[in-house]
Amino acid sequence: MERLDVHGVRLDLAREEVSPVIWKALEDGSYEAKEARSILKAIKPGDRVLELGSGIGIITSIIAGIKDVSVWAFEANPGTAALATRVIKANCADNVVFSQGLLTAHAPHLHPFYVRKDLWMSSMDENQGPYEKRIEIPSENIDEFINRHRINALVMDIEGAEHDLLQNAELVGVERIFVELHDHLYHLAGIRDITQALALKGYSYDPRGSRGPCVLFSKDDTPREYDPEVD
């Protein structure tokens, strides 16, 4: 077991628990670096955050460190979820509820999930690349979850599944959505689908919290001061 510090989050991890590619990214700080740089501009003190695709819990832990924030985090991959549970326990107070599972825009049912060697490639998409095994995971409806927990901010990195979810979920009460887009899976046409669907729900592209494929969509029209990192 080795101790790493990744974006201020403590990881006690054995090399064999992740692939060599993931270990290198953790060591050199490139793992979820874009998300770590932008998430503090997407989430505000007091937010009630739903995070989908928490990975090993690094971004979850950063969010949980924001003042008066409550977090509900989901990771579909059982093996990755086991690592996330350990990371969250080591870094977070009692403001995180973590679950292994899926939320979708549809009625609950079993979904195929494809587990891959590099944990960030595991997904619901069979065609994303070679996989080690196929499992089935029960889902819950995201809109019912949002309503029940009064969620106002949504964070997601779900390897392409955002294309369906963001088009079909109602997202009532959600003020901000921070999402990693995966154009290599659904191309620019898919990004257009997402952008148009969110615009019809009242969201705009928000450069204040966007960086490359990690994009903030917001309903917040509050005027901002000049920010050299954005402008």
Side-chain angles (χ1 to χ4, degrees):
M1 192 77 72
E2 299 185 40
R3 176 162 293 181
L4 301 173
D5 184 294
V6 184
H7 313 311
V9 177
R10 191 185 88 198
L11 273 71
D12 292 312
L13 199 64
R15 288 176 180 262
E16 60 269 18
E17 291 184 290
V18 296
S19 71
V21 171
I22 300 293
W23 184 267
K24 182 179 184 300
L26 291 169
E27 276 194 315
D28 66 22
S30 62
Y31 184 89
E32 295 186 336
K34 298 184 296 297
E35 296 91 326
R37 286 193 294 266
S38 300
I39 195 64
L40 296 179
K41 294 185 178 182
I43 303 302
K44 299 180 180 181
D47 277 346
R48 298 175 67 83
V49 182
L50 171 59
E51 183 195 21
L52 304 182
S54 62
I56 60 175
I58 291 176
I59 300 302
T60 315
S61 299
I62 294 172
I63 295 170
I66 300 171
K67 183 179 179 181
D68 296 329
V69 160
S70 298
V71 186
W72 288 262
F74 284 81
E75 169 58 41
N77 187 338
T80 308
L83 297 178
T85 299
R86 199 163 75 213
V87 171
I88 291 167
K89 183 177 180 180
N91 289 277
C92 303
D94 59 356
N95 61 336
V96 178
V97 178
F98 177 76
S99 303
Q100 187 262 316
L102 285 171
L103 297 183
T104 73
H106 308 290
H109 66 279
L110 286 175
H111 293 265
F113 187 85
Y114 301 91
V115 177
R116 296 180 171 91
K117 182 178 180 181
D118 293 332
L119 59 88
W120 55 31
M121 295 295 290
S122 296
S123 71
M124 297 167 66
D125 185 355
E126 181 179 8
N127 299 315
Q128 192 169 344
Y131 56 89
E132 294 185 323
K133 60 181 176 179
R134 177 189 186 275
I135 61 176
E136 290 191 335
I137 301 176
S139 68
E140 183 177 350
N141 180 267
I142 188 172
D143 288 310
E144 293 177 3
F145 190 94
I146 287 170
N147 179 64
R148 186 162 67 249
H149 296 285
R150 296 181 289 113
I151 300 298
N152 74 304
L154 176 60
V155 174
M156 58 169 56
D157 181 3
I158 51 176
E159 300 305 319
E162 67 276 1
H163 182 254
D164 176 82
L165 190 149
L166 293 176
Q167 289 184 86
N168 293 300
E170 295 178 3
L171 306 175
V172 174
V174 176
E175 301 165 4
R176 276 160 279 120
I177 301 168
F178 182 75
V179 57
E180 181 173 357
L181 299 172
H182 296 85
D183 61 284
H184 62 289
L185 297 176
Y186 40 71
H187 313 296
L188 291 182
I191 292 178
R192 185 163 57 248
D193 293 340
I194 291 170
T195 303
Q196 291 175 343
L198 290 179
L200 291 173
K201 295 180 175 76
Y203 296 95
S204 299
Y205 169 84
D206 191 339
R208 295 169 291 188
S210 299
R211 185 184 291 265
C214 298
V215 176
L216 177 63
F217 292 96
S218 178
K219 292 183 176 181
D220 183 2
D221 286 328
T222 305
R224 66 174 175 88
E225 297 180 358
Y226 172 76
D227 184 344
E229 288 193 14
V230 173
D231 300 312

